[in-house]
Amino acid sequence: MFVVSRPPTVPPLVAMIGGGQLARMTHQAAIALGQTLRVLAVDADDPAAQVTPDVVIGSHTDLDDLRRAADGAHALTFDHEHVPTELLDKLVAEGVNVAPPPQALVHAQDKLVMRRRLEALGAPVPRYAGIERLDDLDAVDALVAQVGGPVVVKAARGGYDGRGVAMADDAAAARAAAERYLSSGVAAVVEERVAMRRELAALVARSPFGQGAAWPVVETVQQDGICVVVIAPAPDLPEPRAAQAQQLALRLADELGVVGVLAVELFETTDGELLVNELAMRPHNSGHWTMDGAVTSQFEQHLRAVLDYPLGDTDATVPLTVMANVLGAPQTPTMTIDERLHHLFARLPDARVHLYGKGERPGRKIGHINLLGTSPEECVNLRERAELAAHWLSHAEWTDGWDPHQ
């Protein structure tokens, strides 16, 4: 049984499972609140373990390691969603305040559980079929016939950043992909490939008290299944549709019993409809812009929520923020990241850079850059500058051929 018995003069302790960049940036927010974030990290060189003094080295799949991380904590929360549900249920039974609770988190862990629950709640979702056993494969043929076009096959658990996702142009390819997931012990979700205009994200937070807060809806730009750019707020999104997305996200947070930040990834279809793609119950890549472009960052808000503090103001501080992810180049440049940073600031002194302390490898998220704009009309130019800066930091080359020595 875990009992929090800390003197009232000691700030509350939040433990976060996972030592990645989300935990690192949450620790930065904790410092401003006079707190220390404890992290359960796999290695002492993990991004969050580099910066917080309270580190537990262990595995998120080991119950004893989870207990060590939770010991004395006011709340246990997550940098990722891969902790087995049965282990979280045991922690709850032992008195640990898990936030979000396992009965909510499972909807971000299991895409099939999520699809079925959202459908039951009347939330708009793509047409889909759940494949849990070989006998279910006939449902693939029926779905492909119903949608009359290509489909997407997803692993129900474990996929992220484009992993665990297969495109299928016909029923045979979809069945084969679903069988591959089944053979690895994972259920599959086969869903229509939505004719979409773009992808959006509605980021909200909810406290145990039931208070909710929503940031402006953003546009997310994907490349090979990885988010590369976020534009806040989403350009040319009618106010009624933006409000619809925010209200949907707040309703789902309440219905599912979320505690903390919830990201609702959305498809905006060519017909102007909104469909829920996926959920994340933690700080999310689509919310990194809030570190510089909102009154309250998603990381501070997540801490406020799991500790049941009153939530912060989610208004944007500027009319436009563009975030660009810095992804590892195919070949790591010989120029050090520090020297690249030096050149970046010389050319773009307004760039807000956030590096994660991660080793560089192809496609890996090693940081992000925020640029702030004074009007929505700057969107194209600001995005170009953000992408230019991100490419320079990852590749040590200016895509426009700029030479600082000329």
Side-chain angles (χ1 to χ4, degrees):
M1 191 77 166
F2 288 92
V3 179
V4 176
S5 57
R6 297 160 64 84
T9 55
V10 176
L13 172 66
V14 175
M16 182 167 265
I17 305 305
Q21 65 261 26
L22 300 180
R24 181 184 178 107
M25 290 181 278
T26 304
H27 173 65
Q28 292 173 237
I31 292 171
L33 301 180
Q35 302 170 5
T36 298
L37 184 80
R38 176 185 294 160
V39 299
L40 176 64
V42 174
D43 189 271
D45 196 42
D46 283 355
Q50 297 172 20
V51 297
T52 180
D54 195 348
V55 182
V56 175
I57 302 299
S59 170
H60 63 272
T61 60
D62 185 287
L63 181 59
D64 288 335
D65 290 342
L66 293 169
R67 285 170 171 154
R68 288 193 294 128
D71 187 22
H74 288 69
L76 180 78
T77 191
F78 307 96
D79 167 277
H80 61 74
E81 292 119 340
H82 304 311
V83 184
T85 306
E86 60 271 19
L87 298 186
L88 295 177
D89 286 335
K90 290 180 180 179
L91 293 180
V92 171
E94 293 170 359
V96 177
N97 175 25
V98 177
Q103 65 268 26
L105 186 65
V106 68
H107 298 94
Q109 295 174 316
D110 191 306
K111 294 179 178 63
L112 184 53
V113 171
M114 174 198 68
R115 279 281 176 264
R116 287 171 173 165
R117 182 67 187 282
L118 295 189
E119 187 176 42
L121 291 173
V125 297
R127 290 172 289 182
Y128 74 96
I131 311 300
E132 297 179 273
R133 57 189 66 85
L134 291 174
D135 291 347
D136 295 332
L137 286 172
D138 286 345
V140 175
D141 298 332
L143 178 70
V144 172
Q146 180 189 15
V147 303
V151 294
V152 181
V153 186
K154 301 177 179 179
R157 282 182 175 260
Y160 67 98
D161 282 349
R163 300 174 180 87
V165 177
M167 301 296 177
D169 291 328
D170 54 38
R175 289 175 69 108
E179 284 190 69
R180 286 196 298 272
Y181 292 133
L182 291 176
S183 66
S184 64
V186 180
V189 179
V190 182
E191 61 187 41
E192 64 178 312
R193 198 181 306 178
V194 176
M196 64 176 178
R197 178 188 174 203
R198 57 181 171 176
E199 295 189 54
L200 304 172
L203 194 73
V204 300
R206 180 180 179 274
S207 70
F209 181 73
Q211 183 186 8
W215 285 272
V217 177
V218 303
E219 178 177 348
T220 64
V221 181
Q222 314 291 321
Q223 182 177 300
D224 299 326
I226 300 175
C227 177
V228 291
V229 170
V230 173
I231 306 170
D236 303 318
L237 183 66
E239 181 55 38
R241 194 168 299 149
Q244 176 192 355
Q246 291 174 313
Q247 290 162 7
L248 172 62
L250 287 168
R251 180 169 76 87
L252 292 180
D254 188 59
E255 295 274 10
L256 299 178
V258 173
V259 174
V261 167
L262 169 69
V264 180
E265 298 179 44
L266 299 159
F267 296 131
E268 183 185 19
T269 71
T270 52
D271 295 330
E273 299 300 315
L274 298 179
L275 300 176
V276 178
N277 178 20
E278 294 186 1
L279 304 178
M281 294 182 193
R282 51 172 170 75
H284 189 253
N285 201 172
S286 67
H288 289 353
W289 70 274
T290 64
M291 297 177 75
D292 299 299
V295 176
T296 307
S297 80
Q298 65 166 341
F299 301 102
E300 178 183 329
Q301 194 82 297
H302 190 72
L303 289 170
R304 289 195 191 202
V306 301
L307 291 171
D308 210 6
Y309 290 178
L311 299 181
D313 187 344
T314 50
D315 284 348
T317 56
V318 291
L320 179 69
T321 304
V322 175
M323 187 282 300
N325 276 324
V326 180
L327 305 177
Q331 284 193 314
T332 302
T334 55
M335 184 186 296
T336 67
I337 189 74
D338 183 65
E339 188 176 356
R340 281 173 261 161
L341 192 63
H342 180 99
H343 286 285
L344 174 66
F345 285 150
R347 184 178 184 188
L348 300 171
D350 59 328
R352 313 290 182 95
V353 178
H354 302 271
L355 295 176
Y356 306 152
K358 297 165 76 170
E360 297 177 68
R361 63 170 183 249
R364 189 184 200 191
K365 293 176 184 175
I366 59 174
H368 70 271
I369 296 170
N370 288 332
L371 286 176
L372 310 184
T374 57
S375 75
E377 287 70 33
E378 289 184 68
C379 185
V380 173
N381 177 259
L382 206 65
R383 177 177 172 180
E384 288 176 351
R385 294 176 67 232
E387 292 178 317
L388 185 77
H391 187 89
W392 164 257
L393 265 190
S394 61
H395 291 72
E397 64 181 20
W398 294 107
T399 53
D400 62 354
W402 186 74
D403 184 351
H405 303 295
Q406 290 184 354

